[in-house]
Amino acid sequence: MLGTQAASPLSFWIGLEPGKVVQLDDVVVTRREVPGYGPVLVAGVVTTVEARHEGAAYDSDVFLIADGALPAAVVEVAEVRVTRVEPEVFVPPLPGSKVFLAGQGDRDQALYFDVMDRRIPLGTGRDGQPLYVNFDFLDGTRGAHVSISGVSGVATKTSFATFLLYSIFNSGVLAGEAANTKALIFSVKGEDLLFLDHDNLRLDQRATDTYARLGLPARAFGSVHVFAPPRPGDPNGVPHVSARTQGVSSFYWTLTEFCDEELLRFVFADADDERAGYSLLVGQVAARLKAWAEPVGDGGAVMVRGTTCRTFSDLVELLSDQLQDEDARRDWTGAQTPLGTVNAFLRRLRSAVRPLSPIVRGDLPFYRNHSVRTSDAQVSIVDLHNLPERAQRFVVGVVLRGEFHRKETSGTARPLLFVVLDELNKYAPREGDSPIKEILLDVAERGRSLGVILIGAQQTASEVERRIVSNSAVRVAGRLDPAEAARSEYGWLPPAVRERATIAKPGTMFVAQPEIPVPLAVAFPFPAWATRPSEAAPQPQARTTAAGGDPFAGLPGVEEDIPPF
């Protein structure tokens, strides 16, 4: 302990003996005998390390000292931020006290791992030892939701999110609930996430050893199902994917479902739509479609006021004709509506025909299972990369609403549903309102009690709705843009850690959780599952599961035996 720097119960400075080294993130401990209380342990994490010449007065003295012409000593000092005082007697450590690198027991105590009854491996620290997060802050017991920020392509946000899911499913913390706990992943980055159930060909022995230290098996996800939109123009609705052929189903909504479930509002899912004057008109038209649309045949087509619609384009043309007719318009709107508002609504609606036609239709067999569901596998992936941005918004909004409603009606928070959503700033921007933003706010504020856990990722947390970020018990940052790192949304990062985040390498994340006063620098291992098609190992016919094997594994699924023609 240094005597030249003031020590407090929250931070102190240490000097290093010759030949001794500490680095950022090292855990150190010291003890002080306090009258009436006995020995008090003070533990902390190194946040700053400095080296200087003691005795030099001018910058040029460094050359004289290096040549031996001027006597001086090289001194290394480090700042330590206190993480735990045990027992809680908040007195400063005394100058001259010995400070040691924490051993395993002291390290667990300093980082509160000893009081985490249910802990999830996050990765390893700079000392190569495991770091954990308390599952109580993920499953809703004491908190929920995860917010991950960082520069696109460098911060490895999606990779960390999938590793966190893998750790939850395979660490044993779920016990008997593991088989029924589900994850829903929205994928917008090509087909990279479509092979989570394939072993990674690039996994080496070093990564395998890291998984062993974390207490995790080094293998792919055991149960994955992919949902993809139909190929445009394909009369059979074959999934629009190229690299994967098994375990893939098409998803779309029939016109009957579109009208009956009032999905029109998700066609206008931009924040700009809510600011426009036609937001009330959207609700009125959706209510009329629900009341007047009648199913026709078994393909999901509808008849509205005597006109049959088999495609989304047909429905839009019907609405256009009805709303432009002055007499019919009154029936649809229920009140006098300015023609300018109607025209703005129709312009926006017509622009949705091309992006939404592949996924809103009435020309495919209605008996086919075409909805996105989480019951088919432990991990359900909704592939959005082939859809325009407007269609992506529609899918995210409708699927989230359906899953949230399902959890509401189930009456229990268990089993849990983890939702992984990238580009959160696009779906829940700070300014404006939209149907998707309303749902995400509902998930952030009520999802904890319903068992819906959001793992949201974004490049810029400063552009995401504040209530969503503030309701996230666990916050994670990878590589940050320097301008973004200076924003107040990253106040949970100490200044030194903010600077480090601007130069962090891929695979390094800074994780803050409520129990630990300082964020942990975590290096998570190389994925054991394929992160792109070129890494995917051939999948065996039957994958052995933790439950002892699935007797039906390898058999064709409901959708897999449909011929692709």
Side-chain angles (χ1 to χ4, degrees):
M1 271 286 305
L2 292 184
T4 54
Q5 300 276 359
S8 77
L10 302 180
S11 66
F12 56 89
W13 286 79
I14 60 175
L16 304 182
E17 296 177 350
K20 302 296 183 181
V21 175
V22 296
Q23 58 179 330
L24 297 178
D25 308 315
D26 278 345
V27 181
V28 298
V29 296
T30 185
R31 287 175 170 81
R32 174 180 174 178
E33 193 71 31
V34 179
Y37 294 96
V40 174
L41 176 140
V42 182
V45 174
V46 175
T47 56
T48 303
V49 181
E50 297 178 354
R52 68 177 185 272
H53 272 138
E54 194 171 52
Y58 303 100
D59 292 340
S60 58
D61 287 348
V62 65
F63 302 106
L64 298 175
I65 296 171
D67 293 337
L70 186 67
V74 175
V75 176
E76 288 187 80
V77 297
E79 183 185 26
V80 178
R81 288 193 61 178
V82 175
T83 57
R84 190 169 181 179
V85 178
E86 193 66 39
E88 288 191 337
V89 181
F90 289 99
V91 293
L94 297 177
S97 301
K98 289 284 187 180
V99 181
F100 304 91
L101 281 174
Q104 187 62 47
D106 287 341
R107 179 180 180 272
D108 287 352
Q109 195 171 14
L111 300 179
Y112 293 84
F113 296 158
D114 62 323
V115 295
M116 294 183 184
D117 295 329
R118 301 185 302 156
R119 59 189 191 182
I120 302 293
L122 284 174
T124 58
R126 296 184 65 84
D127 56 2
Q129 297 303 308
L131 296 173
Y132 303 93
V133 63
N134 194 337
F135 192 57
D136 286 353
F137 294 105
L138 288 177
D139 72 342
T141 302
R142 298 162 65 187
H145 313 308
V146 181
S147 175
I148 308 174
S149 304
V151 178
S152 179
V154 182
T156 56
K157 302 184 296 295
T158 305
S159 296
F160 182 76
T162 53
F163 175 78
L164 181 61
L165 280 180
Y166 181 82
S167 186
I168 291 171
F169 289 145
N170 292 276
S171 63
V173 72
L174 292 171
E177 297 179 358
N180 293 322
T181 301
K182 307 293 184 180
L184 178 64
I185 302 176
F186 293 94
S187 173
V188 296
K189 297 178 179 178
E191 298 189 2
D192 292 350
L193 290 180
L194 305 192
F195 295 89
L196 297 183
D197 54 344
H198 289 67
D199 293 325
N200 196 321
L201 293 172
R202 296 175 54 200
L203 188 70
D204 57 19
Q205 187 59 45
R206 180 179 179 184
T208 302
D209 293 341
T210 302
Y211 279 95
R213 286 201 304 274
L214 296 175
L216 299 173
R219 63 175 183 234
F221 285 81
S223 176
V224 174
H225 194 86
V226 177
F227 296 90
R231 292 184 184 276
D234 188 284
N236 296 292
V238 174
H240 192 187
V241 293
S242 57
R244 180 169 180 140
T245 58
Q246 292 187 339
V248 184
S249 302
S250 293
F251 71 83
Y252 58 90
W253 288 266
T254 64
L255 290 174
T256 302
E257 294 167 330
F258 183 86
C259 297
D260 187 58
E261 298 174 17
E262 298 187 59
L263 302 185
L264 180 66
R265 61 196 302 259
F266 292 100
V267 178
F268 301 84
D270 289 344
D272 291 339
D273 290 318
E274 288 294 316
R275 288 193 290 265
Y278 49 73
S279 57
L280 179 61
L281 181 58
V282 173
Q284 293 170 331
V285 173
R288 298 298 186 273
L289 285 175
K290 180 177 181 178
W292 294 342
E294 300 176 2
V296 175
D298 63 354
V302 293
M303 178 180 290
V304 182
R305 309 196 81 178
T307 301
T308 300
C309 303
R310 299 190 181 278
T311 65
F312 184 63
S313 178
D314 293 342
L315 184 62
V316 172
E317 288 304 315
L318 168 69
L319 293 176
S320 180
D321 293 340
Q322 292 284 306
L323 291 176
Q324 288 179 331
D325 182 271
E326 191 167 343
D327 294 331
R329 186 191 315 147
R330 194 175 298 109
D331 295 336
W332 283 89
T333 62
Q336 190 69 30
T337 304
L339 188 59
T341 300
V342 172
N343 288 336
F345 167 81
L346 291 176
R347 282 195 302 270
R348 184 68 173 158
L349 184 60
R350 291 190 189 103
S351 68
V353 170
R354 184 171 182 180
L356 293 185
S357 288
I359 56 175
V360 179
R361 53 202 304 170
D363 58 346
L364 293 176
F366 186 66
Y367 59 82
R368 289 182 55 178
N369 215 341
H370 58 270
S371 60
V372 175
R373 53 203 177 274
T374 56
S375 58
D376 290 356
Q378 187 172 57
V379 179
S380 300
I381 301 172
V382 183
D383 180 32
L384 303 175
H385 83 279
N386 281 319
L387 292 176
E389 183 173 320
R390 191 162 183 191
Q392 292 179 8
R393 293 178 186 273
F394 178 86
V395 173
V396 170
V398 176
V399 172
L400 280 180
R401 187 186 74 165
E403 288 298 317
F404 197 68
H405 177 70
R406 181 183 63 81
K407 291 291 290 183
E408 279 184 312
T409 56
S410 69
T412 176
R414 294 298 198 269
L416 298 174
L417 172 65
F418 292 91
V419 177
V420 179
L421 182 60
D422 200 358
E423 300 183 5
L424 196 58
N425 51 300
K426 181 173 73 175
Y427 300 108
R430 178 152 298 187
E431 304 297 331
D433 295 301
S434 72
I436 303 177
K437 184 175 178 179
E438 292 175 9
I439 294 170
L440 288 171
L441 276 171
D442 221 7
V443 171
E445 295 173 345
R446 295 197 300 130
R448 171 184 171 186
S449 60
L450 296 175
V452 181
I453 312 301
L454 177 65
I455 302 178
Q458 61 278 323
Q459 294 186 47
T460 51
S462 60
E463 296 179 2
V464 178
E465 167 62 40
R466 287 185 179 90
R467 285 179 289 172
I468 293 178
V469 176
S470 63
N471 275 288
S472 298
V474 178
R475 302 189 187 186
V476 183
R479 176 76 168 266
L480 292 176
D481 177 79
E484 175 69 9
R487 303 293 294 266
S488 60
E489 285 73 19
Y490 300 92
W492 54 275
L493 289 173
V497 180
R498 286 199 199 194
E499 294 181 17
R500 289 176 59 197
T502 63
I503 59 172
K505 293 182 178 180
T508 298
M509 314 297 284
F510 301 94
V511 182
Q513 53 184 309
E515 266 181 332
I516 305 177
V518 297
L520 302 177
V522 178
F524 64 96
F526 187 78
W529 48 92
T531 59
R532 54 179 58 93
S534 61
E535 295 176 349
Q539 193 175 27
Q541 286 295 317
R543 176 182 293 279
T544 302
T545 64
D550 181 3
F552 301 103
L555 295 177
V558 175
E559 299 284 294
E560 294 172 2
D561 56 357
I562 298 175
F565 52 83

